[in-house]
Amino acid sequence: MKRHLICSVDSLPPGSRRVVKIGVRSIGVFNVDGRFYALRNSCPHQGGPICLGHLTGFATSPTPGEFEYLRKGEILRCPWHGWEFDVKTGQSWFDPARLRVATYPARVESGATLAADHCGSESDPGMSGLCREPYTLETYPVAVEADYVVVEVPGSS
């Protein structure tokens, strides 16, 4: 599975979220009390932007007249129709047996680990200390044909 760098931990404090586009998917990344969770930004009900919804919790009543508020900031409510899902698992609380929002593994990695994965090393002669990713340009084959430079762009006419 390809890893995608989202942001630094400091720019996503507890209780906040960031919605990013990865390929064709819109994904919401949430910081819930210092732990990170990622959900697909599409409610299984009618495709609403679930990750833009209100973060809430559960109100329970063990006995008449007593109320408790549990799991504050862990329940995501769809802004279109109010369906609720668990940020940690994607589980629906409306129909838990059938409905779930797609989730993705999210974790924190050190800058040193990311640099080691994306930068040249001693085994890559001449590239030690230089980083290749995440920024790359699209490139195209170039050829010289009878004094003309030709660039090939797939899908163009």
Side-chain angles (χ1 to χ4, degrees), residues 78-101:
C78 181
W80 282 9
H81 300 105
W83 287 28
E84 295 178 335
F85 297 87
D86 189 321
V87 170
K88 293 182 174 180
T89 64
Q91 181 76 55
S92 162
W93 288 100
F94 172 74
D95 187 356
R98 292 185 326 124
L99 295 175
R100 170 180 299 274
V101 173

Side-chain angles (χ1 to χ4, degrees), residues 5 8 10 12 14 18 26 46-47 53 55 79 92 102-103 106 114 132 136:
L5 182 65
S8 68
D10 294 345
L12 195 62
R18 181 171 291 193
S26 178
Q46 290 189 342
L55 279 171
S92 162
T103 61
L114 293 172
R132 294 185 200 92
T136 58

Side-chain angles (χ1 to χ4, degrees), residues 18-40:
R18 181 171 291 193
V19 177
V20 297
K21 189 96 170 172
I22 297 176
V24 297
R25 293 183 180 95
S26 178
I27 295 174
V29 180
F30 296 81
N31 182 339
V32 179
D33 297 328
R35 300 196 64 165
F36 295 87
Y37 303 93
L39 304 168
R40 186 160 191 181

Side-chain angles (χ1 to χ4, degrees), residues 96-121:
R98 292 185 326 124
L99 295 175
R100 170 180 299 274
V101 173
T103 61
Y104 305 93
R107 63 182 177 273
V108 174
E109 294 186 8
S110 72
T113 299
L114 293 172
D117 289 349
H118 298 286
C119 298
S121 65

